[in-house]
Amino acid sequence: MELREIEIFLTLADELHFGRTAERLHVSVSRVSHAIRVQETAIGAPLFTRTSRRVELTQVGEVLLEGLRPAFDGIQHSVAAATALARQSVGTVTIGAMGAQVHDLAPVLDTFRASHPFAEVRFREVFFTDPFDLLRRGEVDLVTAWLPVDEPDLAVACVLREEPLNLIVSSRGPLAGRSSVDLEELADFAVPAIAGSADWLSGVVPFSTPSGRPIPRAGQVSTYPELLALVASGHVVCPVPDEGRRYFPWPGVEYIPFGDAAPVRWALIRRRGRTAPIVRAFTDAAQATGASADTV
C-alpha cells in the first residue's frame, strides 16, 4: 500500500464522504473510489459500507484505521522534522572580518562545515575605522571585533578567543629592543589619531593611562599599512592586538608585549533582534570549538 493510498483511506475514514475526501485531497472522486477498491482487493474484504446516504467503516476498516493512523502520523512528523532541520542546515552565513581573522576562524569553520556541509560561508573585509557599517546595513551576518562593543543596536554572539596586547614601536626609537612595556609609558609618547569609531577603538588605543595621564595623538591613519608606516617613521607608537605581530611584520617596526595590559578579547558581533537559524548554528559551532557565550 503506497503512502498516497494510505492518505486517501485515512481521509475517507475522517470524512465518511467520497466527495469531501476528493475535495480535501485535490483529486477526483473516481481516484478516491479506485484507491479504496485497490486496498479492499489487496486486503480481501470491504473497508467501507456504502449506501446512497452514508459511508461507514466496516470492522476490517476499523482495525486498519487503528493501525495505520499512528504510523502515518509518525511518518508525517518525521518528514516535517527532517525538513525543518534541512532548512536550518542550508543557507549562507556572511562574516565581516578584519585582517587575518579568517585564518583564526579556521577551527570554527571546520566545526561548522562538518555539521552543515551544504551551507555556504562568505567573507567580507571590514576595517577598524568602521567595522560595524556592513553589519548595520545587513550585508554581513556577523563581524569579528575586539571587546568591549558598546553599541545599543549590536550584541555579542560569542567570545572567540583572547590574545595579548602589544605595542608597535619604531626599531630605531627609544623603546626598541625592550622585552616589555607598561601602559603608563604611553603618556610619554604619541599614538596615531585613527579615523573611525573612537569609543570602540579606545578598547585597544586608549585616551589615557591607568593613572589618568592623557595619551597624546599625532598624525592620522585609516588603514593598518598607514599605521605601520607612521610607526616606522618614529613619530608614534601604537597598541595593537597580537594578531599584528603574527600576521603583519613590517620593516622598521617591532612588536613589544605589554606587561600590565588585560588580554584583548575577540568576539563575533551580531545585530540585535531575530537571528537566522543558520547564523545561530555558526555561533553554536564557535562555542563548540571553545569560544564562550556572552551578551551585551
Side-chain angles (χ1 to χ4, degrees), residues 43-66:
I43 289 173
L47 301 176
F48 296 90
T49 58
R50 311 160 179 84
T51 69
S52 58
R53 294 185 175 181
R54 61 190 304 177
V55 175
E56 292 183 339
L57 278 164
T58 65
Q59 185 176 9
V60 173
E62 293 279 5
V63 171
L64 184 62
L65 175 65
E66 182 179 354

Side-chain angles (χ1 to χ4, degrees), residues 154-168:
L154 305 179
V156 176
C158 69
V159 178
L160 294 168
R161 68 185 189 282
E162 294 183 347
E163 65 183 16
L165 183 67
N166 296 327
L167 185 67
I168 314 177

Side-chain angles (χ1 to χ4, degrees), residues 100-135:
Q101 294 293 307
V102 174
H103 181 269
D104 284 330
L105 282 173
V108 177
L109 295 173
D110 290 343
T111 300
F112 176 72
R113 286 167 174 157
S115 58
H116 296 77
F118 301 109
E120 181 181 3
V121 180
R122 297 176 181 173
F123 294 97
R124 294 282 302 276
E125 185 177 12
V126 298
F127 303 94
F128 56 76
T129 51
D130 191 359
F132 309 123
D133 177 55
L134 294 182
L135 184 61

